[in-house]
Amino acid sequence: MQRTILLVDDDEEEYYIIKLALEMTGENCQCVWANGLEQATHLVKELQPEFVFIDINMPRYNGLNCLKQLKELDQLKKSVFVMYSTYISEEDHKKALQLGADCCIPKPENVKILRKHLMSLFNDKTHCP
């Protein structure tokens, strides 16, 4: 079975980093990139991603607003929501969990650490790395 990850991030480079980390896991994975809420909303009509990674620091709709909107979509009721950002303040972390995020992961300094986080999530969706 193929795992599908939806990455909502205004920085396309993050898509390639996650894609590389996914390849390193050896899992059968597909990563789809959306550059914001509107594109993500459109994509989930076709996909039912197992994981939704959302960058907290995005222009227009910040990640917390994006999380709130996406959590309301029926297609994402079974998805695991991961807030994924360079810096996550304690306040943003608490708010993300209150809004329904399953966990918050700081963007790691290298792809090997990201691979380890992904493997942790794949092995136990209730465990935040």
Side-chain angles (χ1 to χ4, degrees):
M1 183 177 111
Q2 186 178 50
R3 297 178 184 276
T4 301
I5 293 176
L6 173 62
L7 171 65
V8 184
D9 195 318
D10 60 310
D11 183 358
E12 187 177 9
E13 189 175 309
E14 293 301 327
Y15 163 71
Y16 295 108
I17 293 168
I18 285 187
K19 221 175 140 174
L20 177 61
L22 287 170
E23 288 171 10
M24 291 171 64
T25 68
E27 297 275 328
N28 183 12
C29 298
Q30 169 190 19
C31 185
V32 179
W33 174 62
N35 68 2
L37 177 63
E38 294 85 5
Q39 192 175 15
T41 302
H42 176 74
L43 286 169
V44 298
K45 291 177 183 172
E46 302 162 23
L47 303 169
Q48 290 191 330
E50 186 176 353
F51 296 91
V52 179
F53 280 66
I54 304 171
D55 183 14
I56 287 178
N57 302 308
M58 291 188 292
R60 207 157 169 220
Y61 270 99
N62 73 35
L64 295 172
N65 288 334
C66 188
L67 169 65
K68 187 176 180 183
Q69 298 288 323
L70 292 176
K71 286 290 290 183
E72 294 176 6
L73 299 177
D74 287 338
Q75 298 94 328
L76 299 177
K77 293 291 182 208
K78 295 181 182 178
S79 300
V80 174
F81 284 83
V82 180
M83 299 311 288
Y84 178 71
S85 202
T86 305
Y87 173 74
I88 303 170
S89 70
E90 188 62 37
E91 182 181 331
D92 284 345
H93 186 269
K94 284 179 185 175
K95 189 160 186 180
L97 296 178
Q98 288 171 350
L99 290 172
D102 294 284
C103 65
C104 298
I105 299 175
K107 291 180 182 177
E109 57 203 48
N110 68 56
V111 73
K112 289 179 183 176
I113 295 171
L114 178 56
R115 178 197 157 279
K116 185 178 170 188
H117 288 330
L118 291 170
M119 291 302 297
S120 246
L121 280 169
F122 293 165
N123 290 328
D124 183 0
K125 293 177 189 175
T126 63
H127 172 74
C128 193

